């Protein structure tokens, strides 16, 4: 595989339905407000990735598309099982370089992803890893998808990122790191993300729902 090949971009996401997404934002936000923030974060991510070189753009979705989905994305259903199995299945649907990006980092910019999307970014044996501030990861890429390298990694723990990166290294892959980013999980996270990205859909949604929360409106 040429090191100049653009990757398939994958986003694994859950439909932003109140009560099913971002439950750790509640309180101080209501389930409806949390879902609004999730939808805005997902929309920012999907729009940002339209400006990143890609062979394909694939949204691996649990649920149904909504008005937050821009044109230019394929939508496929998520597999069942735990998060490791769902991520592995997403990679299994790809050929050539594939880069999975989370839906929880609306502060993402094309510049932050540039190392992994520039010409020559995918030589044989290359993996890309984007660590999250909470110990997880926000990006995971492999020049040749190997779903087995994700299966069995304990997800949603403070050691998830460390364990996943170690899997890549142990498999003999040349792991290159992207910057650390903060995921949107808690109200404190939301405030830090707003400071890092004060413009965009997420920033507008945050300001609106924060005002509602202060006023006691859901």
């Amino acid at each position: 595989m040429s090191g100049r090949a653009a990757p398939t971009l994958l986003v694994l996401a859950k439909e932003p339905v109140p009560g099913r997404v971002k439950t750790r934002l509640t309180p101080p936000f209501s389930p409806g407000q949390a879902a609004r923030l999730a939808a805005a974060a997902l929309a920012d991510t999907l729009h940002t990735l339209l400006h990143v070189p890609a062979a394909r753009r694939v949204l691996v979705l649990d649920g149904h598309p909504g008005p937050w989905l821009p044109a230019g994305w394929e939508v496929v259903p998520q597999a069942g099982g735990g998060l490791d199995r769902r991520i592995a299945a997403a990679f299994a649907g790809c050929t050539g370089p594939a880069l999975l990006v989370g839906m929880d980092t609306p502060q993402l910019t094309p510049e932050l992803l540039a190392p992994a999307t520039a010409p020559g970014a995918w030589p044989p044996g290359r993996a890309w890893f984007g660590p999250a501030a909470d110990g997880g990861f926000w990006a995971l890429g492999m020049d040749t998808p190997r779903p087995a390298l994700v299966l069995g990694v304990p997800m949603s723990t403070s050691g998830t990122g460390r364990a996943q990166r170690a899997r890549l290294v142990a498999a003999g892959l040349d792991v290159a790191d992207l910057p650390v980013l903060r995921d949107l999980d808690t109200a404190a996270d939301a405030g830090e993300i707003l400071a890092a990205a004060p413009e965009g859909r997420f920033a507008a949604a945050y300001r609106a729902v924060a005002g509602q929360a202060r006023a006691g409106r859901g």
Side-chain angles (χ1 to χ4, degrees):
M1 181 63 63
S2 168
R4 300 184 67 84
T8 294
L9 294 176
L10 298 166
V11 173
L12 198 77
K14 182 182 292 185
E15 180 186 0
V17 175
R20 293 192 66 234
V21 295
K22 297 299 160 200
T23 55
R24 290 172 61 191
L25 290 173
T26 310
F29 301 110
S30 71
Q33 291 166 343
R36 181 174 175 182
L37 291 174
L42 178 54
D44 274 348
T45 300
L46 297 176
H47 279 272
T48 292
L49 294 180
L50 290 175
H51 301 284
V52 172
R56 298 167 61 202
R57 295 176 179 86
V58 182
L59 174 63
V60 187
L61 183 64
D62 175 5
H64 303 283
W68 39 263
L69 177 66
W73 283 87
E74 305 171 42
V75 180
V76 301
Q78 277 188 34
L83 182 55
D84 62 325
R85 292 189 174 276
R86 287 178 277 141
I87 292 174
F91 276 110
C94 301
T95 57
L99 179 65
L100 175 77
V101 178
M103 64 168 284
D104 299 333
T105 51
Q107 71 274 43
L108 182 64
T109 64
E111 291 74 22
L112 286 170
L113 276 177
T117 56
W122 295 93
R126 170 59 53 83
W128 286 94
F129 187 76
D134 64 0
F137 60 88
W138 65 268
L140 175 64
M142 289 177 271
D143 173 63
T144 301
R146 297 169 64 177
L149 296 183
V150 183
L151 289 174
V153 172
M155 295 289 163
S156 303
T157 76
S158 60
T160 293
R162 183 170 59 253
Q164 182 61 76
R165 194 182 190 285
R167 278 282 193 93
L168 302 174
V169 172
L173 299 182
D174 172 25
V175 182
D177 292 306
L178 293 164
V180 177
L181 292 182
R182 179 165 296 280
D183 282 339
L184 171 64
D185 289 316
T186 67
D189 295 332
E192 290 197 30
I193 290 169
L194 176 69
E199 305 297 333
R201 296 165 187 81
F202 175 80
Y206 178 85
R207 292 187 179 101
V209 301
Q212 293 171 353
R214 285 193 295 268
R217 304 194 306 271

